């Protein structure tokens, strides 16, 4: 099972970081529509031997969009969006650390992000953050892990913390300083903030390697919760922050374990002369999955191509063509053509 998990992750990451696909994404352009984002997401999710039906894909997409919305919304400062992205890439690099070719693809994208975005001003980062929040503003899907951690209300809206570290470069609130026309401080007035704030220990690293400090964008399913999701006192926040920095990075192991648990309920068929087929179900039972598909609002549903990998390709030319798009092979040329196909699909949106 472990080898299948690595195969799935490697195939998806190879397609996601295809050179031509990345070049297209880095071109100045308008934000993609929700339909275009969903189409790209579906194609990436099916870039490996793993297959999801519509209900499971809808659930996975909802989890992805709400998790990213939460991360963007809770960024202490606009520039920290870049640290969130770097946390994502650090986790991806941990997945493919034993695959040098794929790791080089991710590192190249990492360098492009550093070159393009680290020089932007605070105002430009604020514009990026506001654009992303506008994109997600009508999405209020409830996520169980957020509800359990009490960072999301029953109406799907997130709870903003009123305690914890303040953004880097700012001071802990509670003091008003007044200056005269010469710029000299003449008076100080303290006030009660209603929260327990602390100064950040240090700024996160914006280099290829380094401590990001910010925990947004790391594994939500790790045992130790990121400090940003807690709203306790300053001492508890500081202690949790110190403990997490000292602990080993659990990202790769926890993410793989989570995917392995999901794949534990797969239906694996081994027809004669063909590779095993995978059906990934993100629901506890098949009945729950069927109910979700029936009760989901039509405007939130998307068409997903179901592929029968066990059918003889010679009997159906159209099926053979579609299967060719998702074929997984070890040769680098296959991953490149897959990325080109994804790029061509985006041009049609």
């Amino acid at each position: 099972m472990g080898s299948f998990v690595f195969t799935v992750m490697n195939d998806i990451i190879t397609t996601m970081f295809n050179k031509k696909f990345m070049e297209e994404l880095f071109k100045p352009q308008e934000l993609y529509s929700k339909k275009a984002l969903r189409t790209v997401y579906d194609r990436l999710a099916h870039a490996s031997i793993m297959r999801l039906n519509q209900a499971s894909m809808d659930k996975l997409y909802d989890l992805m969009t709400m998790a990213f919305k939460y991360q963007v919304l809770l960024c202490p400062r606009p520039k920290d969006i870049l640290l969130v992205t770097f946390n994502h890439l650090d986790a991806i690099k941990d997945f493919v650390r034993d695959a040098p070719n794929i790791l080089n693809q991710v590192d190249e994208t990492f360098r492009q992000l550093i070159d393009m975005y680290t020089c932007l001003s605070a105002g430009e980062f604020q514009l990026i953050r506001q654009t992303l929040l506008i994109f997600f503003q009508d999405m209020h899907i409830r996520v169980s892990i957020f509800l359990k951690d009490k960072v999301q209300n029953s109406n799907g809206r997130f709870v903003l913390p009123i305690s914890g570290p303040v953004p880097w470069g700012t001071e802990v609130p509670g003091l008003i300083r007044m200056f005269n026309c010469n710029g000299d401080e003449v008076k100080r007035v303290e006030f009660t903030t209603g929260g327990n704030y602390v100064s950040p220990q240090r700024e996160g690293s914006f280099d290829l390697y380094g401590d990001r400090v910010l925990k947004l964008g790391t594994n939500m399913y790790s045992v130790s919760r990121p400090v940003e999701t807690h709203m306790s006192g300053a001492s508890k926040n500081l202690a949790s922050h110190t403990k997490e920095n000292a602990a080993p990075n659990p990202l790769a192991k926890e993410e793989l374990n989570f995917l392995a648990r999901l794949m534990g309920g797969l239906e694996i068929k081994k027809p004669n002369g063909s590779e095993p087929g995978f059906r990934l179900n993100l629901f506890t039972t098949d009945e729950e999955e069927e109910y979700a598909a029936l009760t989901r609002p039509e405007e939130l549903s998307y068409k997903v191509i179901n592929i029968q990998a066990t059918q003889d390709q010679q009997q159906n030319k159209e099926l053979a063509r579609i299967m060719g798009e998702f074929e997984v092979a070890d040769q680098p040329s296959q991953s490149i053509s897959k990325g080109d196909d994804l790029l061509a699909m985006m041009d049609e949106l």
Side-chain angles (χ1 to χ4, degrees):
M1 180 62 70
S3 62
F4 286 123
V5 173
F6 281 109
T7 299
V8 169
M9 296 303 299
N10 287 351
D11 291 339
I12 292 176
I13 294 171
T14 299
T15 304
M16 184 184 302
F17 290 91
N18 172 269
K19 183 178 180 180
K20 291 185 178 180
F21 181 45
M22 286 293 105
E23 289 175 352
E24 180 66 24
L25 288 182
F26 274 92
K27 291 180 180 178
Q29 56 192 297
E30 294 293 329
L31 192 68
Y32 287 131
S33 66
K34 290 182 174 65
K35 180 181 179 181
L37 175 63
R38 175 58 192 258
T39 303
V40 173
Y41 190 80
D42 288 355
R43 180 60 63 88
L44 288 174
H46 288 135
S48 70
I49 57 178
M50 180 182 67
R51 295 292 177 266
L52 295 88
N53 65 12
Q54 181 171 336
S56 292
M57 177 60 78
D58 289 343
K59 188 172 183 178
L60 186 63
Y61 181 77
D62 291 343
L63 176 61
M64 181 276 296
T65 53
M66 293 305 292
F68 185 64
K69 177 181 179 180
Y70 173 78
Q71 293 164 9
V72 174
L73 187 63
L74 266 70
C75 277
R77 55 177 181 167
K79 188 177 181 179
D80 289 335
I81 294 176
L82 200 53
L83 291 178
V84 171
T85 304
F86 288 175
N87 276 334
H88 294 165
L89 292 177
D90 287 340
I92 292 173
K93 288 171 62 176
D94 215 0
F95 284 133
V96 297
R97 61 184 181 275
D98 296 326
N101 292 336
I102 306 177
L103 184 60
N104 288 336
Q105 287 181 259
V106 181
D107 280 340
E108 178 59 29
T109 301
F110 218 131
R111 295 186 184 95
Q112 292 183 52
L113 284 169
I114 293 174
D115 293 341
M116 178 172 289
Y117 290 102
T118 53
C119 60
L120 296 185
S121 65
E124 289 171 314
F125 274 113
Q126 173 60 17
L127 181 60
I128 293 174
R129 180 175 182 270
Q130 196 65 26
T131 302
L132 291 173
L133 291 178
I134 291 173
F135 181 86
F136 290 112
Q137 67 178 350
D138 296 327
M139 298 183 182
H140 304 294
I141 303 166
R142 291 176 296 177
V143 178
S144 59
I145 188 172
F146 291 145
L147 294 172
K148 290 177 182 178
D149 287 348
K150 301 186 185 302
V151 297
Q152 188 181 32
N153 292 324
S154 58
N155 60 4
R157 298 182 183 275
F158 290 115
V159 179
L160 297 179
I162 57 172
S163 298
V166 297
W168 176 260
T170 62
E171 298 180 2
V172 175
L175 177 65
I176 300 175
R177 292 181 292 180
M178 303 179 188
F179 299 84
N180 59 21
C181 58
N182 296 323
D184 300 323
E185 182 178 334
V186 295
K187 186 178 180 181
R188 289 191 174 194
V189 178
E190 295 184 355
F191 64 93
T192 303
T193 61
N196 297 314
Y197 298 99
V198 295
S199 299
Q201 293 180 327
R202 59 189 179 280
E203 185 179 22
S205 172
F206 290 91
D207 297 326
L208 186 62
Y209 303 97
D211 183 5
R212 313 302 173 192
V213 179
L214 187 71
K215 298 303 178 183
L216 290 171
T218 58
N219 186 11
M220 298 189 306
Y221 294 92
S222 60
V223 177
S224 57
R225 288 284 185 265
V227 67
E228 286 85 357
T229 63
H230 290 284
M231 290 172 284
S232 56
S235 58
K236 184 176 181 180
N237 274 323
L238 186 58
S240 300
H241 193 279
T242 304
K243 181 178 180 180
E244 287 173 7
N245 286 335
N249 190 339
L251 293 177
K253 180 179 178 181
E254 291 297 333
E255 289 284 6
L256 288 175
N257 287 342
F258 175 61
L259 184 57
R261 288 196 297 272
L262 292 177
M263 296 182 71
L266 294 180
E267 296 178 3
I268 302 179
K269 301 178 181 179
K270 296 184 178 181
N272 295 331
S274 63
E275 293 295 328
F278 290 88
R279 175 179 173 271
L280 180 57
N281 186 352
L282 297 185
F283 295 84
T284 306
T285 63
D286 290 340
E287 290 75 14
E288 181 182 348
E289 182 181 42
E290 294 172 0
Y291 177 78
L294 293 174
T295 57
R296 185 175 180 84
E298 184 177 353
E299 62 272 14
L300 295 180
S301 297
Y302 301 85
K303 298 297 182 182
V304 178
I305 298 175
N306 292 319
I307 299 175
Q308 298 294 332
T310 60
Q311 184 174 341
D312 186 359
Q313 294 185 9
Q314 299 301 324
Q315 296 178 0
N316 191 323
K317 294 182 179 180
E318 179 64 15
L319 178 60
R321 183 187 66 80
I322 297 175
M323 285 295 296
E325 295 177 359
F326 293 104
E327 185 177 358
V328 179
D330 295 331
Q331 290 83 357
S333 59
Q334 291 291 334
S335 62
I336 295 176
S337 63
K338 192 183 300 180
D340 292 342
D341 179 67
L342 179 61
L343 195 60
M345 179 271 297
M346 292 177 61
D347 292 337
E348 297 174 359
L349 296 176

